[in-house]
């Protein structure tokens, strides 16, 4: 830290005044001691006897003089006092600089940090202030992201609800206004309204599930689950749809049985969403394969299909809520854009991770989960 010219001058003046005052004080002390010795014969005689006894050598040189001793100790005291006062004043200037930096930061310059380094407790103050500002900036940025995220959530939900709702009102309005030619038209309009209502229901359910798993401390009902049975049940539930689409769906678990600690309902939702995505967006796929195997203390579950690959630019955004690799196609298939965000949130609740790879041969979602869940205390 560099002192200003004014501070340096003040520090020099402080030292000069202190030295002058100490010299005056020393002169007074020496005068008082001299007066006491001269007016007290006993003290004067004692000092003389000590001086006589401390002569050495053939020349009987004196090695002791009370004036020299007094002056020596006074000089030591004077040096310490000057050093203490100058150091105290210097620390005061340091604190003034720190306070000035704090005022500058408090005026809204949150990108500024106290630049200088000091020794001792002052450096701890500087480090603490810089760390506090960094923490405050991070908190403000996180809060802005949360607010932006909330706004985006409301905007996306409003848009996705408004589209099917407009269709429902439109077709029911045609029936209400009797703008139909025959009963076949009525059935057509009500069927479209029904499909749009189911689309709205799916969005609301996905939104509810997403907000539930996103909440801090979301409840997780951990129990031992046979992963082979869970995946077999999942495969059976999609068998009819796979047959209609001409897709082979299968599951394989090694070893069998493979026990894992997890919330079976939430874990089922994870793999259900991944398989459903494979059917919706894996155009041209001939198979959907679910495989699971143990690797150390983890289990790795892969949901793969050989449909059209996902664009590379979309791979890093798939798990963001409301993200659609192809918005028009997703809306056509009734996608809410929340399925993979729910997958990621549930996997995070189980202290696992999820990733995706995609090329012209295969698209594979890989979920890594610990065999045993650490107890949260």
């Amino acid at each position: 830290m560099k002192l200003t010219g004014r501070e340096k001058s003040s520090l020099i003046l402080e030292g000069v005044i202190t030295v002058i005052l100490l010299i005056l004080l020393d002169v007074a002390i020496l005068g008082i001691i001299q007066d006491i010795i001269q007016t007290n014969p006993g003290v004067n005689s004692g000092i003389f006897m000590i001086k006589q006894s401390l002569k050495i050598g053939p020349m009987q040189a004196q090695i002791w003089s009370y004036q020299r001793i007094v002056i020596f100790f006074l000089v030591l005291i004077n040096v310490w006092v000057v050093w203490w006062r100058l150091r105290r004043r210097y620390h005061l200037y340091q604190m003034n600089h720190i306070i000035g930096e704090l005022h500058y930061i408090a005026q809204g310059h949150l990108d500024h940090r106290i630049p200088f380094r000091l020794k001792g407790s002052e450096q701890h103050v500087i480090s603490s202030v810089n760390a506090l500002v960094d923490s405050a900036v991070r908190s403000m940025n996180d809060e802005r992201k949360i607010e932006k995220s909330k706004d985006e959530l409301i905007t996306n939900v409003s848009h996705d609800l408004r589209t099917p709702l407009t269709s429902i009102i439109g077709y029911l309005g045609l029936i209400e206004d009797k703008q139909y030619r025959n009963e076949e038209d009525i059935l057509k309009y009500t069927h479209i309204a029904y499909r749009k209502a189911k689309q709205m229901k799916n969005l609301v359910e996905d939104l509810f599930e997403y907000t539930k798993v996103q909440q801090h401390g979301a409840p997780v009902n951990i129990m031992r689950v046979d992963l082979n049975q869970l995946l077999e049940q999942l495969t059976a539930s999609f068998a009819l749809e796979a047959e209609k689409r001409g897709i082979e769906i299968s599951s394989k678990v090694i070893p069998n049985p493979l026990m894992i600690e997890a919330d079976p309902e939430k874990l089922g939702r994870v793999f259900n969403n991944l398989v459903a995505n494979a059917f919706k967006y894996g155009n041209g796929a001939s198979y959907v394969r679910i495989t699971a195997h143990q690797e150390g203390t983890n289990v790795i579950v892969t949901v793969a299909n050989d449909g059209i690959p996902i664009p590379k630019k979309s791979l890093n955004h798939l798990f963001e809520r409301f993200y659609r690799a192809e918005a028009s196609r997703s809306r056509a298939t009734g996608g809410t854009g929340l399925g993979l965000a729910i997958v990621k949130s549930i996997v995070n609740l189980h202290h696992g991770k999820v990733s995706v790879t995609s090329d012209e041969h295969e698209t594979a979602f890989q979920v890594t989960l610990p065999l045993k869940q650490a107890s949260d205390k």
Side-chain angles (χ1 to χ4, degrees):
M1 186 196 76
K2 293 183 178 180
L3 297 178
T4 64
R6 184 177 180 180
E7 289 170 341
K8 290 178 181 178
S9 300
S10 176
L11 206 60
I12 294 172
L13 183 62
E14 175 88 10
V16 171
I17 293 175
T18 302
V19 170
I20 293 174
L21 291 175
L22 287 173
I23 290 174
L24 294 176
L25 183 61
D26 293 345
V27 171
I29 291 172
L30 287 172
I32 292 171
I33 293 174
Q34 186 72 23
D35 184 63
I36 291 173
I37 292 174
Q38 290 179 354
T39 56
N40 193 325
V43 174
N44 194 12
S45 175
I47 291 174
F48 178 78
M49 292 176 64
I50 293 172
K51 290 173 66 175
Q52 293 296 322
S53 64
L54 292 176
K55 291 181 179 181
I56 60 174
M59 303 298 295
Q60 295 294 299
Q62 291 184 4
I63 62 171
W64 184 84
S65 170
Y66 79 88
Q67 291 97 337
R68 294 175 185 173
I69 293 177
V70 171
I71 291 173
F72 175 75
F73 280 108
L74 287 176
V75 169
L76 288 180
I77 293 172
N78 292 347
V79 170
W80 182 85
V81 170
V82 172
W83 174 84
W84 176 78
R85 286 184 61 85
L86 293 180
R87 186 171 179 271
R88 181 170 172 271
R89 179 58 64 95
Y90 181 69
H91 286 323
L92 179 63
Y93 290 151
Q94 287 180 334
M95 291 305 300
N96 287 340
H97 279 264
I98 294 174
I99 292 171
E101 296 286 340
L102 281 174
H103 283 306
Y104 182 75
I105 294 173
Q107 290 171 359
H109 303 90
L110 297 179
D111 57 338
H112 180 74
R113 300 294 179 272
I114 300 178
F116 44 82
R117 296 188 61 83
L118 304 176
K119 294 181 179 179
S121 59
E122 287 82 3
Q123 182 57 42
H124 291 301
V125 173
I126 291 174
S127 300
S128 298
V129 168
N130 287 339
L132 182 62
V133 176
D134 288 337
S135 176
V137 170
R138 283 195 300 269
S139 298
M140 292 172 63
N141 290 335
D142 290 343
E143 188 174 347
R144 290 193 189 102
K145 288 179 181 178
I146 291 172
E147 289 298 323
K148 184 180 178 182
S149 182
K150 288 179 180 178
D151 293 340
E152 290 176 351
L153 178 62
I154 294 171
T155 301
N156 287 322
V157 169
S158 300
H159 182 274
D160 284 1
L161 286 176
R162 184 176 59 186
T163 303
L165 186 59
T166 301
S167 296
I168 293 171
I169 294 173
Y171 284 105
L172 292 180
L174 291 176
I175 298 174
E176 179 74 16
D177 298 336
K178 297 182 179 180
Q179 296 183 20
Y180 52 86
R181 292 169 294 182
N182 48 44
E183 186 177 344
E184 186 179 344
D185 285 346
I186 295 176
L187 292 175
K188 177 183 175 183
Y189 297 160
T190 54
H191 178 67
I192 294 174
Y194 173 72
R195 284 195 298 106
K196 295 297 181 181
K198 283 187 66 177
Q199 185 178 336
M200 288 180 61
K201 179 176 178 288
N202 291 336
L203 174 61
V204 171
E205 287 179 348
D206 281 352
L207 181 63
F208 175 73
E209 181 68 24
Y210 175 75
T211 54
K212 186 169 66 173
V213 297
Q214 282 291 105
Q215 290 175 355
H216 179 69
V220 182
N221 184 24
I222 299 296
M223 60 180 67
R224 285 180 63 79
V225 179
D226 186 341
L227 197 58
N228 182 62
Q229 289 185 2
L230 187 147
L231 295 180
E232 279 186 349
Q233 292 172 6
L234 178 68
T235 303
S237 68
F238 280 95
L240 184 59
E241 184 175 355
E243 186 178 350
K244 288 181 180 179
R245 294 173 178 262
I247 297 175
E248 177 193 352
I249 182 168
S250 62
S251 65
K252 184 178 181 181
V253 177
I254 301 175
N256 184 14
L258 178 53
M259 306 302 294
I260 181 174
E261 292 184 357
D263 184 323
E265 182 182 348
K266 286 183 169 58
L267 203 58
R269 182 65 183 266
V270 167
F271 301 125
N272 184 82
N273 284 8
L274 292 177
V275 174
N277 265 30
F279 278 104
K280 283 181 182 178
Y281 308 124
N283 290 346
S286 63
Y287 67 80
V288 173
R289 293 173 184 163
I290 311 169
T291 59
H293 68 278
Q294 184 177 344
E295 193 172 287
T297 58
N298 294 326
V299 58
I300 299 176
V301 183
T302 304
V303 179
N305 71 86
D306 60 344
I308 295 176
I310 300 170
K312 289 184 178 180
K313 64 179 181 180
S314 300
L315 289 177
N316 293 330
H317 303 284
L318 285 180
F319 298 101
E320 297 175 5
R321 66 187 183 192
F322 293 109
Y323 182 82
R324 297 176 174 91
E326 295 181 31
S328 59
R329 190 182 72 179
S330 297
R331 287 195 169 91
T333 54
T336 63
L338 287 171
L340 293 180
I342 292 171
V343 167
K344 183 175 178 60
S345 298
I346 293 176
V347 170
N348 287 342
L349 284 177
H350 286 79
H351 308 98
K353 59 183 180 179
V354 59
S355 59
V356 59
T357 58
S358 184
D359 55 33
E360 63 274 8
H361 301 294
E362 188 177 74
T363 295
F365 286 85
Q366 190 176 80
V367 178
T368 303
L369 297 167
L371 288 171
K372 293 185 177 181
Q373 294 294 318
S375 57
D376 296 329
K377 296 183 179 180

